Amino acid sequence: MTSQMEKIVSLAKRRGFVFPSSEIYGRLESCYDYGPLGVELKNNIKSAWWKAMVQSREDVVGQDASILMHPKIWEASGHVEGFTDPLVDCKSCKKRFRADHIVKTDGPMTPQWMKKNFEDKKPKCPECGGELTPIRKFNLMLKTHLGPVEDEGTTVYMRPETAQAIYVDFDIIMKSSRKRLPFGIAQIGKAFRNEITPGDFIFRTREFEQMEMQWFVKPSPQTLSQEGEGRVRGGTPEEWFEYWKKKRMQWYLDLGIKKERLRFREQEKDELAHYAKKAVDIEYNFPFGWKEIEGIHNRGNWDLSRHSEYSGKDLSVMDEETKEKYIPWVIETSAGADRTALAFLLDAYEEIAGGRTTTTESAKEAETVLRFSKTLAPVKIAVLPLSKKEELSSVAKNIANDLRKHWTVDYDETASIGRRYRRQDEIGTLFAVTIDFETLEDKKVTVRDRDTMKQDRVAISELEKYFSNKFK
Ligand code: ATP
């Protein structure tokens, strides 16, 4: 029996969503390329996030910072010192493992946990049964060199998260956009981590994209006044934490993820990063277990204090009424575009045994439907002339070109209509427009809905209006 993950990985490759990078050279482990449908899907995820987090709010602005930044930033942030994972090597086969991938745990890898499970129990290599080295700390930041000389002084890091650029640019962005606290800065961009054991397809890779928003807020208690969506002023960090927690969960639900496959998980006190006051993960029920897709963190004033200290630039702000100066606190929402893409793919996947289309040729085969939401579906409309004959295809091509001005359209004139419907269902296309010989007489086409399979006969002249209503 093929597992659901195997089915998704195979569909993703076969239909051009996502596949291993550099395959003709034997591939590069843990790196993936997004094909034509994958890039549409991921762009749709990112723009849905941008719209919800930036464009529809008056209190969040965007940025796009450079990946390579001053190396001192990573000293200030604590990454040089502490962004490590516990690593063990097998002395025989030389394979490397993250400690919690040998002894599974949902909790934190505290020194006590490591002593009990490794020093005392001495587990063996899961691959060859060989002896393992003691645990050591492995820094996850990828290094490179700037300029022609490779020495210590030229070392820079590929950013392991997008957040630090936001803290570093906080002051200039606040002033140039004339924002007052509380407000947020959002960014979507690549991040790199030299993960010891990447895996589970695009769940854990060494190069990935993050969608992060940092919300700057005054630490002292104030009253949260709800003046309507997007115009909430004041509020304590704790209240804002709860606000963003709800908002972020709702975002996944609005994009169609099934409620029962999502949950919050609060990190235990001893799991928290040293700077974090509170952290809640949004988890998705993957075929390999409940796993984080997004983290919501109350980071206190750690980030701006550290960057003030290390850069020498005072990043405190002045309360205009009381004239007191303070370092803002930060509430962070941090999601992965690739990890959520996997969650959206898995969640949309449905297999119908026996099939639902009834043309003789394709009946009785299992049928796959990706039930993407309207926002995320990579292709919105398929245009399918019943025959390849010029008299039909020329009409169909004109229709496709008109619709393409507003929506992503796939034109397909090969194979039986049943097969073509199935091809479209398998990639989650929302509607199929069929042009038949009657079209030449009545100037109407048939529109089929992916989910209900209901068919509407619509005048060509009304098609644009028809779809505008559907995509409202
Ligand atoms: P994990 O515990 O799974 O390694 P994390 O707690 O280190 O994740 P964060 O630092 O909170 O993750 O990063 C925020 C988000 O970035 C995660 O929720 C995830 O969606 C994404 N992310 C982090 N690491 C990776 C990775 N290696 N590959 C893909 N996405 C990632």
Side-chain angles (χ1 to χ4, degrees):
M1 216 9 215
T2 332
S3 74
Q4 202 197 348
M5 270 308 277
E6 283 166 337
K7 286 178 186 167
I8 285 288
V9 172
S10 142
L11 170 68
K13 184 171 181 185
R14 186 161 43 80
R15 298 306 309 268
F17 279 94
V18 193
F19 39 82
S21 157
S22 323
E23 234 186 2
I24 63 167
Y25 285 94
R27 71 173 291 192
L28 184 64
E29 198 208 351
S30 118
C31 295
Y32 288 90
D33 295 346
Y34 287 76
L37 294 175
V39 67
E40 291 293 337
L41 173 65
K42 199 158 118 172
N43 280 346
N44 290 344
I45 294 171
K46 290 189 286 184
S47 58
W49 188 88
W50 196 256
K51 196 166 170 198
M53 298 298 283
V54 184
Q55 290 171 334
S56 65
R57 301 192 61 103
E58 65 169 13
D59 51 8
V60 180
V61 290
Q63 82 164 165
D64 182 16
S66 91
I67 288 174
L68 302 174
M69 297 191 284
H70 197 292
K72 236 179 147 185
I73 288 171
W74 305 109
E75 285 173 35
S77 68
H79 282 80
V80 171
E81 168 85 21
F83 194 54
T84 57
D85 266 349
L87 166 82
V88 287
D89 287 304
C90 172
K91 289 182 181 168
S92 313
C93 72
K94 309 289 176 212
K95 284 229 166 73
R96 292 185 151 177
F97 305 93
R98 217 170 89 170
D100 61 327
H101 291 176
I102 292 188
V103 181
K104 298 267 179 267
T105 173
D106 281 334
M109 285 178 275
T110 56
Q112 298 86 313
W113 178 87
M114 291 188 212
K115 182 173 179 319
K116 182 169 152 233
N117 289 289
F118 282 83
E119 273 178 54
D120 299 349
K121 293 195 180 155
K122 297 198 181 351
K124 297 283 183 223
C125 169
E127 293 284 324
C128 74
E131 197 187 327
L132 298 173
T133 60
I135 293 181
R136 61 203 162 87
K137 285 183 174 175
F138 173 74
N139 195 298
L140 298 183
M141 281 200 293
L142 280 156
K143 281 184 198 169
T144 187
H145 293 271
L146 277 192
V149 187
E150 286 193 17
D151 61 25
E152 271 300 296
T154 64
T155 302
V156 289
Y157 300 99
M158 313 282 283
R159 66 178 178 202
E161 59 178 35
T162 58
Q164 296 304 323
I166 297 181
Y167 308 137
V168 169
D169 290 347
F170 160 73
D171 190 58
I172 188 169
I173 290 180
M174 180 176 64
K175 287 180 180 150
S176 58
S177 60
R178 299 173 49 243
K179 289 289 170 207
R180 290 207 206 129
L181 264 59
F183 81 102
I185 304 177
Q187 177 168 215
I188 298 177
K190 289 261 177 166
F192 301 82
R193 295 181 188 177
N194 206 359
E195 300 275 3
I196 299 166
T197 34
D200 293 319
F201 194 34
I202 50 172
F203 177 83
R204 187 183 301 286
T205 50
R206 294 192 171 116
E207 172 181 342
F208 54 95
E209 255 179 308
Q210 288 188 313
M211 308 184 286
E212 295 196 307
M213 192 280 305
Q214 313 295 322
W215 182 255
F216 299 94
V217 56
K218 190 177 175 182
S220 58
Q222 294 171 26
T223 335
L224 185 72
S225 58
Q226 290 272 352
E227 292 170 19
E229 200 46 56
R231 287 195 283 127
V232 191
R233 307 305 309 169
T236 63
E238 293 73 22
E239 286 165 323
W240 280 111
F241 185 88
E242 292 306 316
Y243 170 88
W244 283 114
K245 221 179 98 176
K246 280 203 207 93
K247 272 265 164 211
R248 292 307 306 144
M249 179 61 98
Q250 194 57 44
W251 185 78
Y252 293 99
L253 296 171
D254 290 347
L255 290 175
I257 291 214
K258 294 175 193 73
K259 204 171 176 191
E260 64 276 14
R261 294 204 193 151
L262 287 169
R263 72 175 188 194
F264 287 119
R265 189 184 75 89
E266 180 160 353
Q267 289 186 20
E268 306 285 335
K269 277 267 168 297
D270 49 2
E271 247 182 292
L272 291 176
H274 52 283
Y275 52 79
K277 306 274 179 223
K278 189 170 170 149
V280 168
D281 292 339
I282 295 178
E283 293 190 332
Y284 179 75
N285 193 3
F286 287 96
F288 42 92
W290 286 96
K291 302 276 175 198
E292 171 186 339
I293 51 175
E294 171 158 355
I296 295 128
H297 310 123
N298 179 345
R299 304 175 63 111
N301 68 5
W302 160 264
D303 305 286
L304 293 185
S305 310
R306 292 280 287 196
H307 287 302
S308 290
E309 184 190 333
Y310 277 67
S311 69
K313 160 103 185 147
D314 179 12
L315 295 175
S316 58
V317 298
M318 168 97 80
D319 188 301
E320 279 166 28
E321 276 157 34
T322 62
K323 302 291 174 216
E324 58 173 325
K325 274 178 94 184
Y326 63 91
I327 298 259
W329 279 33
V330 169
I331 308 298
E332 167 185 69
T333 71
S334 173
D338 312 84
R339 213 175 259 192
T340 49
L342 178 58
F344 283 119
L345 265 169
L346 283 161
D347 211 72
Y349 187 87
E350 196 182 315
E351 212 176 77
I352 297 137
R356 5 176 250 171
T357 37
T358 46
T359 52
T360 42
E361 205 182 321
S362 52
K364 303 282 175 253
E365 284 171 29
E367 194 186 344
T368 302
V369 187
L370 282 183
R371 295 196 191 272
F372 287 127
S373 65
K374 281 184 207 166
T375 312
L376 295 190
V379 179
K380 307 292 187 224
I381 305 165
V383 175
L384 317 171
L386 214 56
S387 122
K388 276 190 214 166
K389 289 210 175 85
E390 156 68 20
E391 49 189 328
L392 283 197
S393 69
S394 62
V395 177
K397 278 178 186 158
N398 280 339
I399 292 175
N401 284 338
D402 280 344
L403 295 176
R404 218 171 256 135
K405 289 175 196 150
H406 309 281
W407 302 283
T408 44
V409 170
D410 188 28
Y411 178 86
D412 185 5
E413 57 179 22
T414 58
S416 74
I417 193 70
R419 269 233 180 272
R420 280 185 274 163
Y421 281 151
R422 291 155 70 103
R423 268 186 209 152
Q424 296 298 334
D425 289 344
E426 196 184 43
I427 60 168
T429 306
L430 293 154
F431 298 100
V433 174
T434 321
I435 291 92
D436 51 34
F437 287 100
E438 244 181 277
T439 305
L440 302 177
E441 307 294 318
D442 66 1
K443 307 281 180 257
K444 286 182 176 170
V445 292
T446 306
V447 181
R448 171 192 182 263
D449 179 297
R450 177 196 71 195
D451 294 329
T452 61
M453 297 209 303
K454 215 177 121 266
Q455 307 207 346
D456 283 340
R457 195 81 185 155
V458 183
I460 297 174
S461 57
E462 292 291 309
L463 255 189
E464 206 177 301
K465 204 163 112 207
Y466 174 89
F467 283 123
S468 294
N469 281 329
K470 293 281 182 193
F471 288 111
K472 252 208 297 242

